[in-house]
Amino acid sequence: MGILRNIVDKKRDVASRMTAANPGATVIDLSANPDYLSPAVNHLVAAVKNARAANRKIILALGEEHATVMNVAMASFVRAGLQCAGIANPVMALEHTHNLLERRLPDFFPGETALQERSRHALTALKTADPAHYHRIQALAVAGWDWPCAPATRVCNMSAWLASGADIRLIDMAMTIDPLLDTTAFIDEHAGTTAGEKMRIHATDPEGVRLRNQWMAARLRDILKQADVVILQTGSDHLGGDNWDGQPYKYSLHPAFARAANDNIRFIAVFSEQRNMRFLSNVPPAGRKAMNNLDTVILRGGNAARHRQPFLGSFAEEITALNAFARAARLPKTAPCIENENDYNRLLQENKKTLRNELEAAIA
């Protein structure tokens, strides 16, 4: 009782010794084979099955560093593991602004002002008349966008999920212009500021992150009124705060579900440690104390490959990492859908074409 469970083996570095002094969290050490994600996937699948057997709802929160390939790929491997275990269609909740396409219409369809305007009207109507179709079109926008961080992994994730009919929800706050938040929904909280000041809250400032976490927590609760299992893919600092960026634990997602047991919700937070990212140093002390339990899962020693266009890594390195994960895990539907950068660009164009076709059908 009370002894830290260190799965696979014990690390002999300082971080492990410090974690051992703070018992309770689950540490999964992947260093023996950094490409083999099954120990983590199997643990999370077992936790979800256990919670469902007790008729509890699940938020499986996968914290990521956005450019780390393993972090971004983990959602697909966990989803595949759940499907193999008979949990067929978890909702995929993603940290993307919920009206992404409305903001990006000029970028997707440059110069086509008439199409942009008709699309805005169609999306407004669709959001109320057919929310499932609205969510799908927003997901297509994610699948057709050339993301700077782990781009091949994101387009493979989204393309595979869309092809299988996954329920994908974008749950982050709207923005006015990137990176400023649209704070209209929180006007009462800013009664002491002018309208201009309300429009100048930066998405990554502590106040912006607080508002976004509040918004995302509310959307997660909305989803759980309709679904039993949600896989949340979000930045690690949203889960428990961030010492370095001045984001306190009390405004993170974890305390938003601190009374989750009373609501029959089980919140499992997954933190992946790579390079200088450590649970013990990045999460504020209050967060480490509150999350000192088995539903905090720390992944250690995994593949640390990163890709951030055009500064870090390459498509070849990213795809090599994805292939290594798929070979090691041997889970169905997890092999990369692309082999090189040309495949990536082809798939982007296919997703954009599908997006256009569905928008035009919604307009008609």
Side-chain angles (χ1 to χ4, degrees):
M1 294 292 292
I3 297 175
L4 176 69
R5 298 200 311 184
N6 192 340
I7 297 173
V8 181
D9 73 5
K10 290 183 179 180
K11 292 288 284 180
R12 292 185 175 181
D13 58 12
V14 174
S16 288
R17 293 195 297 272
M18 291 175 67
T19 304
N22 187 24
T26 300
V27 176
I28 301 180
D29 192 334
L30 303 173
S31 60
N33 185 348
D35 299 328
Y36 187 50
L37 304 182
S38 291
V41 172
N42 292 343
H43 174 84
L44 295 172
V45 169
V48 172
K49 288 179 66 178
N50 182 44
R52 290 303 303 137
N55 202 33
R56 296 179 68 187
K57 298 199 172 192
I58 295 286
I59 298 173
L60 185 52
L62 306 178
E64 68 176 36
E65 189 281 318
H66 297 310
T68 300
V69 180
M70 188 190 87
N71 292 182
V72 181
M74 185 62 72
S76 275
F77 284 90
V78 172
R79 183 171 188 272
L82 290 174
Q83 290 179 317
C84 288
I87 300 172
N89 195 29
V91 175
M92 309 304 293
L94 311 181
E95 182 203 317
H96 290 295
T97 181
H98 63 86
N99 62 344
L100 175 71
L101 181 55
E102 286 89 328
R103 293 181 55 242
R104 294 295 187 187
L105 282 169
D107 301 304
F108 275 108
F109 310 111
E112 299 183 66
T113 54
L115 176 61
Q116 293 171 29
E117 189 61 24
R118 290 197 300 271
S119 295
R120 285 193 183 89
H121 289 301
L123 287 166
T124 298
L126 201 62
K127 192 171 186 177
T128 301
D130 191 349
H133 194 190
Y134 178 85
H135 294 317
R136 172 178 164 78
I137 289 181
Q138 295 293 343
L140 278 168
V142 178
W145 189 253
D146 188 20
W147 298 99
C149 293
T153 310
R154 293 187 193 282
V155 77
C156 282
N157 281 357
M158 297 301 299
S159 298
W161 299 344
L162 284 162
S164 67
D167 186 349
I168 304 170
R169 312 286 185 94
L170 312 189
I171 64 166
D172 206 349
M173 279 185 71
M175 294 186 183
T176 51
I177 56 173
D178 195 2
L180 301 180
L181 295 176
D182 180 354
T183 58
T184 305
F186 295 94
I187 190 167
D188 291 340
E189 296 187 17
H190 298 276
T193 62
T194 67
E197 289 171 333
K198 292 172 191 174
M199 299 299 287
R200 289 197 295 271
I201 297 177
H202 193 291
T204 59
D205 285 346
E207 174 65 356
V209 173
R210 182 185 77 82
L211 291 177
R212 290 168 61 203
N213 289 342
Q214 182 178 337
W215 179 276
M216 289 193 284
R219 303 291 76 73
L220 289 168
R221 289 190 179 277
D222 289 342
I223 292 170
L224 286 178
K225 294 174 183 176
Q226 308 164 346
D228 296 324
V229 181
V230 178
I231 297 176
L232 168 65
Q233 191 175 25
T234 187
S236 292
D237 56 350
H238 288 284
L239 297 187
D242 191 318
N243 266 334
W244 308 115
D245 289 339
Q247 296 167 11
Y249 166 75
K250 65 180 179 178
Y251 295 139
S252 67
L253 286 169
H254 189 269
F257 293 91
R259 294 174 58 99
N262 296 336
D263 300 328
N264 205 36
I265 299 169
R266 185 170 173 185
F267 188 92
I268 301 173
V270 181
F271 293 86
S272 184
E273 295 190 338
Q274 279 112 7
R275 298 168 310 280
N276 62 342
M277 292 182 63
R278 294 289 184 270
F279 181 80
L280 284 171
S281 58
N282 290 64
V283 177
R288 297 198 297 269
K289 180 178 179 180
M291 290 186 281
N292 184 28
N293 59 67
L294 296 178
D295 280 344
T296 298
V297 179
I298 301 170
L299 306 183
R300 187 170 291 159
N303 186 321
R306 300 174 76 204
H307 185 192
R308 182 178 176 83
Q309 303 186 75
F311 310 106
L312 179 70
S314 67
F315 280 98
E317 292 167 324
E318 183 177 358
I319 294 166
T320 295
L322 288 175
N323 274 301
F325 297 144
R327 283 195 303 270
R330 298 181 182 177
L331 280 168
K333 301 179 182 178
T334 55
C337 54
I338 59 177
E339 296 182 1
N340 51 49
E341 188 174 354
N342 288 335
D343 280 351
Y344 169 78
N345 289 323
R346 172 188 52 77
L347 191 54
L348 273 185
Q349 293 308 313
E350 289 176 1
N351 290 338
K352 288 179 181 179
K353 182 178 180 180
T354 303
L355 172 62
R356 176 186 284 271
N357 290 342
E358 294 205 14
L359 264 180
E360 290 178 343
I363 291 169

